[in-house]
Amino acid sequence: GEDVEQSLFLSVREGDSSVINCTYTDSSSTYLYWYKQEPGAGLQLLTYIFSNMDMKQDQRLTVLLNKKDKHLSLRIADTQTGDSAIYFCAEKPRSGSARQLTFGSGTQLTVLP
Amino acid sequence: DGGITQSPKYLFRKEGQNVTLSCEQNLNHDAMYWYRQDPGQGLRLIYYSQIVNDFQKGDIAEGYSVSREKKESFPLTVTSAQKNPTAFYLCASSIGEQGSTEAFFGQGTRLTVV
């Protein structure tokens, strides 16, 4: 079955870049997502990438996809204290599967002043 | 404003009681989902529904039940058979299978057994 893995914790200094990594196993994934969760709240979609793309940039966010290695990363430039949150990687399996998204365990990003 | 609303935000349950968590959406989405979140374990799928009057078990359905009598509503009942119900519960909805199908999440309900 599908499996999505992330490291649990990441700490960076304010102003530095953060890179959060994710690996997945389902080679038929169609879309891959990054969600952000602030304390005590639901998940908010940050960005997504279609599986035939290598990179997507959206302001401070850059998503890189290495489909051969099934590796996805999220780079946050000029990380701010407001970026402290849990970041979830998720993948959508091929069309026809009703189960929708499979989530990773989440990476807790801590931004230090 | 369109969105997905969960209530209550906090819920306390005595052992042996059933409790029902509410999830309502006004996004006209066909699909709705319930996830359970425990620290360090990410989101685990409890139940999902692709259409009114139909729902499917997810990975951890034991001890839970759902109904989907209306498109807008997908309540989750945590029964006394659920041995470890203390967790953060998230409801989500999406248009359906096609396209990028972004999932929209509610703000969650934190359930505590006392």
Side-chain angles (χ1 to χ4, degrees), chain B residues 79-113:
Chain B
T79 75
S80 56
Q82 171 49 240
K83 296 307 177 190
N84 185 22
T86 295
F88 191 53
Y89 291 87
L90 286 162
C91 180
S93 70
S94 69
I95 292 172
E97 277 188 42
Q98 301 306 316
S100 65
T101 56
E102 172 186 353
F104 291 81
F105 282 82
Q107 290 298 297
T109 294
R110 185 165 296 281
L111 174 64
T112 304
V113 173

Side-chain angles (χ1 to χ4, degrees), chain B residues 8-28:
Chain B
K9 190 169 175 64
Y10 300 97
L11 188 57
F12 297 89
R13 189 194 94 169
K14 292 183 180 178
E15 298 225 13
Q17 277 184 339
N18 292 355
V19 289
T20 298
L21 283 59
S22 170
C23 178
E24 303 276 333
Q25 53 98 0
N26 60 3
L27 300 165
N28 200 33

Side-chain angles (χ1 to χ4, degrees), chain A residues 67-111:
Chain A
K67 197 172 180 184
K68 174 176 170 290
D69 295 338
K70 301 190 188 69
H71 182 266
L72 182 73
S73 68
L74 174 69
R75 179 177 180 270
I76 305 173
D78 187 24
T79 312
Q80 302 298 307
T81 54
D83 294 324
S84 292
I86 301 175
Y87 290 81
F88 289 93
C89 169
E91 60 101 15
K92 178 181 186 291
R94 67 188 182 280
S95 179
S97 169
R99 289 175 53 89
Q100 291 294 308
L101 305 180
T102 299
F103 287 87
S105 58
T107 299
Q108 172 76 61
L109 174 64
T110 301
V111 182

Side-chain angles (χ1 to χ4, degrees), chain A residues 2 32 40 54 71 93:
Chain A
E2 304 96 352
L32 295 129
D54 298 325
H71 182 266

